[in-house]
């Protein structure tokens, strides 16, 4: 079990990097390998949403609140980008679930 905010955040960042690598691999498979084929946020967000829905992590919302409370305020760069993408994907899922009820 993951306990600290650093290790939980590290898990999220690792998953995000693996999704990015997977999406990059898709561009190689379809024969496009130039710089314009590098996946961006528009490519990764649907994959991230799909992954979160199908993984259905337990206590996801409380874990996000926990991390937000103790995440270093000086987080920046790639880590900040990945955390914001992950949080945005969860917020999208919450909105989607609220509209369906």
């Amino acid at each position: 079990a993951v306990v600290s905010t650093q290790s939980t955040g590290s898990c999220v960042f690792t998953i995000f990097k693996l999704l990015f690598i997977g999406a990059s691999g898709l561009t190689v498979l379809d024969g496009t390998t130039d710089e314009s084929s590098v996946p961006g946020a528009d490519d990764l967000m649907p994959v991230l949403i799909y992954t979160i829905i199908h993984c259905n992590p337990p206590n996801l919302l409380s874990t996000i609140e926990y991390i937000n409370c103790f995440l270093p305020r000086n987080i920046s760069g790639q880590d900040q980008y990945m955390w914001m993408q992950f949080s945005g994907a969860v917020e999208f899922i919450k909105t989607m679930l609220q509209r369906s009820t």
Side-chain angles (χ1 to χ4, degrees), residues 29-97:
L29 290 176
D30 73 7
T32 56
T33 55
D34 60 2
E35 287 183 19
S36 65
S37 66
V38 175
D42 291 341
D43 303 314
L44 293 175
M45 186 60 80
V47 175
L48 190 55
I49 292 168
Y50 177 85
T51 303
I52 293 168
I53 289 172
H54 284 279
C55 289
N56 194 19
N59 308 316
L60 178 63
L61 299 178
S62 59
T63 302
I64 289 174
E65 286 301 315
Y66 173 73
I67 293 172
N68 281 333
C69 286
F70 298 104
L71 193 67
R73 297 294 171 221
N74 60 351
I75 186 173
S76 62
Q78 189 178 33
D79 289 344
Q80 182 182 29
Y81 172 77
M82 290 185 285
W83 181 248
M84 294 309 297
Q85 289 291 315
F86 181 78
S87 299
V90 172
E91 287 300 317
F92 178 83
I93 294 167
K94 284 172 42 180
T95 303
M96 194 172 61
L97 291 172

